[in-house]
């Protein structure tokens, strides 16, 4: 970057975004007040996003952005001094200097980036219900399942864990008399019914929705090693922020999975990060493309949580920028929190379009020198109406500007270039191989086989750890450490006592064990007891 470029660039706490009658600057200290990038398809939203991402990265701010079409991947390679780029830079008083940025690619399907995984437990019932498109009754049963899992120390890591748990809480009317007493899931079924009616039909509907999610690729998303979100908040050896790109072209074919996944990431950041107050620059900037998918048909309870997270995550030092076609795609109560605005052209071919243009114009602070509604329909490619927050936190008057050219490549990269970047990634090998830890599925299968977790140590297995040893000791005293069969009345009573004691131990010790036991499973168990704003786990 030349001295002149640096003067107009990102060295004085601001990012130079574009120039019209006035220069458009995005102040880093106010960048965590969130923002909005809107415009019709093909008007330059991706380039504006890239310009801002480059500015944040230069300033040492890590960036996360979803890449719908693959165009954003070019930020990883040096730009080319093409005639139109050099001309635009010269008109703005810049000397074009090619640049490139340290980039990490992520992919839920693990095909074009490092795999991204979360556990079912971490996702929580509220977001999972949204992902599965459940109604209120079905969501209630899902909440019961999570509560039973928490109370019984059943860690839900992947889809088979959740399926096994749902099977375990279904009332089994076929078992009567002695068969009912020998049912390994009697205590779990009773616990589930204690929270309300859990019907076989409702659980069956949830199971079918899980199948739909599996067919959309959900099986690859749920599992371990789970993503550590702090891996997004890295800088390279030059002190620049790493640019994390979520490859989302295939993921967008499952819109609900895409939107819920990004919302989960946002809620995890909200829960994990400590309060930071007003910082000179954000800790992380999060670009959410196709943002309308987040709000489409969202129930009121979820909308309330989204609004809460967006409002409060600012104090954690995270800036959230929604990218969509029209401001009306974003609900008013969220839109009111987005202080930094970039509006590209909208087309007004129909009465509905004309209303959308008028609504978009009204979201800006008026400029007496500019007819905002008229300008929105006249903007050329690469032009935008811009209003950023000023020093006192109020929006500046809207200005019509030409967006500066990116210094990195505009457009996608080749598969060979992507492979080279992934081979040199600092996270190579960390997430690439899935791990199937012992969790709810394995524990419940042992119960079916007549070797419950409380008896595992006595049968020579290593599962269950400290809790299994406690159950084994109690089981040995009362004679319940035997293969499942017809038990005497005393052994039935002893078995229930054993389970009760073990479950109480689990409830009382899980949080401490999660902090002290090494490995991902131990951490997951310790986190199951406290859920945050969107039903995920608080990792504090």
């Amino acid at each position: 970057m030349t001295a002149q470029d640096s003067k107009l660039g990102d060295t004085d706490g601001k990012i130079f975004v574009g120039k019209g009658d006035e220069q458009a600057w995005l102040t880093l200290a106010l960048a965590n007040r969130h923002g909005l990038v809107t415009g019709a398809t093909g008007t330059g939203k991706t380039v504006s996003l890239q310009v801002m991402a480059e500015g944040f990265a230069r300033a040492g701010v890590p960036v996360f952005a979803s890449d719908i079409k693959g165009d954003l991947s070019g930020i990883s390679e040096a730009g080319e001094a093409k005639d139109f780029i050099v001309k635009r830079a010269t008109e703005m008083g810049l000397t074009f200097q090619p640049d490139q940025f340290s980039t990490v690619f992520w992919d839920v399907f693990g095909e074009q980036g490092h795999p991204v995984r979360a556990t079912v437990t971490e996702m929580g019932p509220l977001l999972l219900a949204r992902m599965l498109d459940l109604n209120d009754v079905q969501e209630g049963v899902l909440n019961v399942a999570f509560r039973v899992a928490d109370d019984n120390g059943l860690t839900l890591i992947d889809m088979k864990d959740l399926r096994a748990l749902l099977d375990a809480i279904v009332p089994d009317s076929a078992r009567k008399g002695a068969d009912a007493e020998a049912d390994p899931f009697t205590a779990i079924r009773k616990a589930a019914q204690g929270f309300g009616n859990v019907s076989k039909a409702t659980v069956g509907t949830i199971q079918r929705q899980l199948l739909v999610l599996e067919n959309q690729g959900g099986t690859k998303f749920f599992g371990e090693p789970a993503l550590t979100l702090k891996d997004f908040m890295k800088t390279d050896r030059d002190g620049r922020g790493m640019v994390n790109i979520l490859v989302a072209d295939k993921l967008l074919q499952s819109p609900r999975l895409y939107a819920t996944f990004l919302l989960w990431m946002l809620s995890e950041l909200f829960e994990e990060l400590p309060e930071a107050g007003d910082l000179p620059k954000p800790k992380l900037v999060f670009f959410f493309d196709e943002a309308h998918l987040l709000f489409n048909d969202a129930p009121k309870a979820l909308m309330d949580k989204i609004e809460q997270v967006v409002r409060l995550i600012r104090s954690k030092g995270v800036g959230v920028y929604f990218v969509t076609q029209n401001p009306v795609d974003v609900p008013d109560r969220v839109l009111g929190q987005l202080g930094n605005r970039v509006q590209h052209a909208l087309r007004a071919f129909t009465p509905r379009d004309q209303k959308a243009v008028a609504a978009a114009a009204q979201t800006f602070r008026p400029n007496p020198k500019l007819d905002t509604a008229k300008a929105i329909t006249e903007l050329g490619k690469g032009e935008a109406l811009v209003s950023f927050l000023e020093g006192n936190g109020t929006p500046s008057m809207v200005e019509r500007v030409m967006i500066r050219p990116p210094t990195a490549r505009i457009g996608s990269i080749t598969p060979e270039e992507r492979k080279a970047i992934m081979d040199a990634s600092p996270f190579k090998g960390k997430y690439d191989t899935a791990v199937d830890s012992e969790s709810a599925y394995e524990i419940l299968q042992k119960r079916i086989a007549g070797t419950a977790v409380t008896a595992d140590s006595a049968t020579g297995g290593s599962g269950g750890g400290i809790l299994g040893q406690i159950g084994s000791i109690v089981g040995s005293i009362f004679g319940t450490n035997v293969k499942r069969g017809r038990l005497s009345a005393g052994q039935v009573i002893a078995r229930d006592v054993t389970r009760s004691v073990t479950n109480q131990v689990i409830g009382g010790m899980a949080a401490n064990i999660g902090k002290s036991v090494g490995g991902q499973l131990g951490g997951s168990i310790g986190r199951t007891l406290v859920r945050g704003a969107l039903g995920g786990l608080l990792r504090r």
Side-chain angles (χ1 to χ4, degrees), residues 402-460:
M402 180 67 72
I403 300 298
R404 70 173 290 177
T407 56
R409 181 187 301 178
I410 299 175
S412 59
I413 61 176
T414 65
E416 293 74 21
E417 290 170 331
R418 184 185 298 272
K419 184 178 184 303
I421 292 171
M422 291 185 62
D423 287 342
S425 169
F427 306 113
K428 181 177 175 60
K430 181 174 181 179
Y431 298 105
D432 297 340
T433 303
V435 176
D436 189 8
S437 304
E438 182 180 75
S439 49
Y441 174 80
E442 289 78 15
I443 293 172
L444 294 174
Q445 285 297 308
K446 286 183 178 181
R447 292 193 181 185
I448 293 175
T451 54
V453 175
T454 53
D456 187 60
S457 294
T459 58

Side-chain angles (χ1 to χ4, degrees), residues 350-426:
T350 67
R352 183 177 181 276
D353 293 339
Q354 293 169 1
K355 291 181 180 179
V357 169
Q362 293 171 2
T363 64
F364 287 100
R365 179 183 169 187
N367 184 340
K369 300 179 182 180
L370 184 66
D371 185 339
T372 306
K374 182 179 179 182
I376 289 177
T377 62
E378 296 176 344
L379 293 170
K381 187 174 182 179
E383 279 190 297
L385 298 180
V386 174
S387 174
F388 293 139
L389 295 177
E390 297 177 324
N392 57 0
T394 59
S396 63
M397 287 190 297
V398 61
E399 295 284 349
R400 181 172 180 170
V401 305
M402 180 67 72
I403 300 298
R404 70 173 290 177
T407 56
R409 181 187 301 178
I410 299 175
S412 59
I413 61 176
T414 65
E416 293 74 21
E417 290 170 331
R418 184 185 298 272
K419 184 178 184 303
I421 292 171
M422 291 185 62
D423 287 342
S425 169

Side-chain angles (χ1 to χ4, degrees), residues 5 23 65 80 93 124 128 148 228 236-237 239 294 386 394 434 457 491:
D5 194 13
Q23 295 173 355
E80 301 176 31
L128 190 58
V148 169
T228 301
D236 62 18
R237 60 186 178 183
L294 176 61
V386 174
T394 59
S457 294
Q491 286 177 325

Side-chain angles (χ1 to χ4, degrees), residues 46-47 50 67 69-77 82 406 408-414 417-418:
T46 302
V47 171
Q50 181 171 334
D67 189 12
K69 297 174 292 184
D71 294 347
L72 195 58
S73 62
I75 199 172
S76 62
E77 301 295 330
K82 296 182 179 179
R409 181 187 301 178
I410 299 175
S412 59
I413 61 176
T414 65
E417 290 170 331
R418 184 185 298 272

Side-chain angles (χ1 to χ4, degrees), residues 138 170-171 198-208:
Q138 294 155 2
V170 173
V198 176
S199 70
K200 190 172 184 178
T202 301
V203 172
T205 301
I206 298 174
Q207 294 275 33
R208 288 191 293 274

Side-chain angles (χ1 to χ4, degrees), residues 324-339:
T324 188
Q325 292 201 12
N326 197 298
V328 298
D329 294 336
V330 182
D332 288 344
R333 49 185 175 169
V334 176
L335 190 63
Q337 301 176 51
L338 311 181

